[in-house]
Amino acid sequence: MALDVDDEGRMLVLYDGTGTRQVNEVDPDGTWRALTDLDDTCRGARFVPGSSRVVVEHDTGGDERGQLSLLDLDEPGLPTLTPLVHDAAYIHHLVAARAGSVLYTTNRRNGVDFDLVTHDLATGRETVLYDGGGWVMGVDPSPDDKWVVLSKASSPANSMQLLLLDTSSRSVTELTAEDAHNDQGPVAWLPDSSAFLVSSNADRDRMAIRRYDVSEAAWSDLLVDDARDLAGWPSPDGEHLLVGVLEDGEVTLALHRLEDGSAITALDLPAGGCAGLLYATPDPIWSPDGSFAAITYNSPVVPPTVYRFVPGGELTAIRSVEVPAELQHPESLRVPSFDGEQVPVFVFRPTGPSLGSTVVHVHGGPEGAAMRIWSPIISALAGEGHTVVVPNVRGSAGYGKRWYSLDDRQLRLDSVKDLAAINAWLPTIDGDPQRAVLWGGSYGGYMVLAGVAFQPDLWAAGVDIVGIASLVTFLENTSDYRRSMREREYGYLATDREFLESASPLSRVDDIRAPLFVIHGANDPRVPLSEAEQITDALTKRGVPCQLLVYPDEGHGLAKLTNRLDAYPQAFSFLRDHLA
């Protein structure tokens, strides 16, 4: 996974060959060097221009409370990490590194709102650039550092507000309304800082590439496709624009002219995968001189791979990994649901001897999406002999604003009804509805629990990973900074409590009959461990077969290879036993 490129063409990448994601340096000649070897996962890194230093973001035990440290590339062997911004009680998210300073966001003021801070590397002096409140989820400084685009979670579900910060006066201009139902993707400045591009669905169903000119304070459309989502990344030399196109879970890239958006050529990446853009892989990163771009690509048959792309020249993988030849791309199908809507699904056929069973694998979010990406779990389930159905139930991104809005608030259980429609549809792909199980993580874990609770006759078993058992206790106990954002999607504790209780699997726990396998991290800052404990305690008291695995060094999911190799084989065995 590509993180940054410096003036000499060196890249920083995240690589998990040691069992956790660590920062590595890749020289232009392809030489690799490990820069970190932590027990926990690194979350990001940036070169500090004009120096030999790199700033690294890392957390502890999956708690997502990022801490910032410096390392010196001139130090031989494995460099020592020196603390830069550390306070284990709060989040510090690395935004950018400039010559002599680091830009980051933090919630240390009150644990809820995220402020934008610049840290002087010579003096240690910190300056707050923005403390206007809210969850600032994206920060994009202009090349000349005069401006910063802030992307802040706004009041409608799945919506972001764009703000423009003047760094000298600290004044903030609202570029979009706080109550507008607009989502957005990547923001990218033009090299002269006169304007920026953003992927946005303002006033339309799909993401278009829009341009905002600072001096004119005016919006215009650069590229629009009414059927597909678009995003763009301009090169620092002002010549080129990489354009990503998302269609049915696949992201392709093409080179365009930045001046007018006209197409030059499609990139010859493998078919059927994702190269940046929305829930798939990191965005492409241009070298400072625009001579090449680092592109992270993956697919159901290709693990995450970083490519070096030279406009008008070659596209080269910096390291390739051999994978089993039996891995396959999925079929893309549609399932008619209860109200006539068509649910997009990807179907992975068994690559091992068929068990005659189906695993419905539900993504997290809920505003996330099932993409055509590398998933060892889905591949392993197919290798076990299961047919794996991967749906984008209503509420999923990637199929337009209308589709991802169909599960908001009181419509929550309509997405669960999509699961019942999939179960009824299974005979059309030679599946047995009575040998169908649910598997999902985070919001997908909620869907697993909701399926077995609200549709107890349909599902033979469930695997719930860091899932929500009660929307009420989840909202009460999740991290303070996440609560307001999650309430806008699920409903508000103060006004919607009755509905939240009725839509909670825990409210129907006495109806659950399907065996349940539950995995949770003790340090989960999003879905507290108590969600897993209360559902498994209730099922154990009723004598429903259930098993809970808790990992003390994990957060929202399993990041460490040792834990994955412990948990998932047990989950596979659990399914084999209860489908026998």
Side-chain angles (χ1 to χ4, degrees):
M1 180 184 299
L3 299 174
D4 199 11
V5 182
D6 74 356
D7 291 330
E8 299 175 16
R10 295 177 299 180
M11 288 188 283
L12 295 177
V13 301
L14 282 182
Y15 177 61
D16 65 357
T18 61
T20 58
R21 285 185 175 178
Q22 301 298 317
V23 180
N24 286 252
E25 178 190 26
V26 183
D27 287 336
D29 64 2
T31 303
W32 281 61
R33 178 191 179 191
L35 300 182
T36 63
D37 186 19
L38 303 175
D39 291 334
D40 293 297
T41 296
C42 292
R43 305 180 63 82
R46 295 289 188 276
F47 289 109
V48 178
S51 77
S52 62
R53 293 179 291 180
V54 170
V55 58
V56 178
E57 179 185 341
H58 50 95
D59 68 5
T60 301
D63 62 10
E64 299 184 12
R65 293 195 288 272
Q67 309 297 310
L68 305 184
S69 298
L70 282 172
L71 58 80
D72 190 341
L73 295 175
D74 288 340
E75 185 178 338
L78 188 71
T80 303
L81 279 176
T82 302
L84 179 67
V85 181
H86 277 219
D87 186 339
Y90 300 105
I91 295 171
H92 313 90
H93 175 61
L94 174 62
V95 172
R98 299 300 202 220
S101 66
V102 169
L103 197 65
Y104 69 96
T105 57
T106 178
N107 68 341
R108 69 186 174 210
R109 176 165 54 86
N110 58 17
V112 178
D113 299 313
F114 283 81
D115 301 338
L116 178 61
V117 179
T118 182
H119 180 104
D120 188 287
L121 292 174
T123 65
R125 181 174 178 269
E126 295 201 332
T127 304
V128 177
L129 299 180
Y130 173 83
D131 60 359
W135 189 351
V136 178
M137 304 184 74
V139 178
D140 296 277
S142 62
D144 62 8
D145 289 324
K146 291 182 179 180
W147 309 97
V148 177
V149 176
L150 304 174
S151 303
K152 188 175 74 169
S154 54
S155 55
N158 307 322
S159 295
M160 303 284 283
Q161 181 186 25
L162 279 180
L163 307 175
L164 185 63
L165 169 70
D166 183 325
T167 58
S168 59
S169 67
R170 308 289 195 272
S171 62
V172 176
T173 302
E174 292 189 353
L175 302 184
T176 61
E178 197 280 335
D179 60 354
H181 192 190
N182 301 331
D183 199 7
Q184 68 171 68
V187 172
W189 283 89
L190 301 191
D192 62 0
S193 300
S194 64
F196 65 85
L197 306 181
V198 61
S199 177
S200 170
N201 62 7
D203 303 320
R204 52 173 50 95
D205 190 53
R206 292 288 187 159
M207 296 280 195
I209 300 177
R210 306 197 72 204
R211 172 179 171 137
Y212 182 82
D213 287 278
V214 176
S215 61
E216 300 177 11
W219 287 100
S220 59
D221 290 338
L222 180 62
L223 289 173
V224 177
D225 187 328
D226 291 335
R228 303 179 296 179
D229 289 335
L230 307 179
W233 300 273
S235 65
D237 60 6
E239 292 293 322
H240 298 111
L241 176 69
L242 276 174
V243 175
V245 180
L246 168 60
E247 183 174 20
D248 198 22
E250 179 179 3
V251 178
T252 57
L253 283 180
L255 190 67
H256 289 235
R257 292 180 180 84
L258 180 57
E259 182 180 9
D260 58 6
S262 59
I264 299 174
T265 184
L267 271 64
D268 190 24
L269 290 163
C274 294
L277 182 67
L278 299 177
Y279 319 106
T281 53
D283 295 338
I285 302 171
W286 284 98
S287 62
D289 62 0
S291 62
F292 76 94
I295 297 168
T296 305
Y297 171 87
N298 74 144
S299 79
V301 301
V302 178
T305 303
V306 176
Y307 285 82
R308 186 188 296 264
F309 169 66
V310 177
E314 72 274 7
L315 178 71
T316 308
I318 66 170
R319 177 177 288 184
S320 299
V321 179
E322 290 189 12
V323 297
E326 63 267 21
L327 297 185
Q328 298 178 1
H329 288 281
E331 303 169 66
S332 180
L333 302 172
R334 296 294 185 269
V335 177
S337 196
F338 67 97
D339 56 357
E341 295 286 355
Q342 299 287 312
V343 180
V345 299
F346 305 133
V347 178
F348 293 80
R349 299 292 183 174
T351 55
S354 177
L355 299 176
S357 53
T358 302
V359 176
V360 179
H361 188 287
V362 190
H363 68 75
E367 68 282 6
M371 303 288 286
R372 298 174 188 263
I373 60 174
W374 176 253
S375 173
I377 298 304
I378 292 174
S379 297
L381 287 168
E384 282 275 301
H386 304 290
T387 296
V388 186
V389 175
V390 183
N392 275 304
V393 296
R394 67 191 66 204
S396 304
Y399 295 86
K401 183 190 299 184
R402 186 194 73 86
W403 185 249
Y404 74 59
S405 302
L406 290 180
D407 70 337
D408 290 349
R409 308 280 285 278
Q410 272 71 21
L411 300 176
R412 176 65 43 211
L413 292 179
D414 284 357
S415 65
V416 182
K417 292 179 183 178
D418 286 343
L419 297 181
I422 292 169
N423 183 281
W425 166 85
L426 289 178
T428 67
I429 58 168
D430 299 323
D432 183 351
Q434 295 184 338
R435 292 177 57 76
V437 304
L438 293 169
W439 181 301
S442 191
Y443 178 74
Y446 164 81
M447 292 289 282
V448 170
L449 298 177
V452 298
F454 290 93
Q455 302 157 358
D457 296 330
L458 299 186
W459 306 105
V463 176
D464 157 35
I465 304 167
V466 297
I468 301 167
S470 166
L471 293 172
V472 173
T473 57
F474 158 67
L475 290 172
E476 289 175 337
N477 299 320
T478 191
S479 298
D480 292 340
Y481 67 93
R482 296 189 62 86
R483 184 172 300 108
S484 61
M485 181 179 177
R486 293 294 87 184
E487 281 188 313
R488 65 182 188 158
E489 169 74 27
Y490 296 119
Y492 292 85
L493 287 168
T495 57
D496 301 309
R497 193 179 191 95
E498 183 177 352
F499 166 73
L500 291 168
E501 289 177 344
S502 69
S504 296
L506 196 63
S507 69
R508 298 287 191 94
V509 70
D510 288 341
D511 293 334
I512 297 177
R513 298 192 296 274
L516 191 65
F517 192 88
V518 181
I519 301 170
H520 219 101
N523 305 318
D524 193 337
R526 306 188 193 188
V527 179
L529 175 60
S530 55
E531 292 299 301
E533 292 173 332
Q534 62 185 345
I535 194 73
T536 53
D537 287 348
L539 292 179
T540 299
K541 289 176 182 177
R542 290 185 48 243
V544 176
C546 109
Q547 184 175 348
L548 170 62
L549 296 182
V550 178
Y551 291 89
D553 57 349
E554 294 281 11
H556 194 62
L558 301 183
K560 299 181 178 180
L561 179 61
T562 53
N563 294 334
R564 296 197 297 269
L565 291 177
D566 179 70
Y568 295 133
Q570 292 189 63
F572 294 163
S573 177
F574 185 88
L575 293 184
R576 283 195 300 270
D577 291 344
H578 291 284
L579 287 170

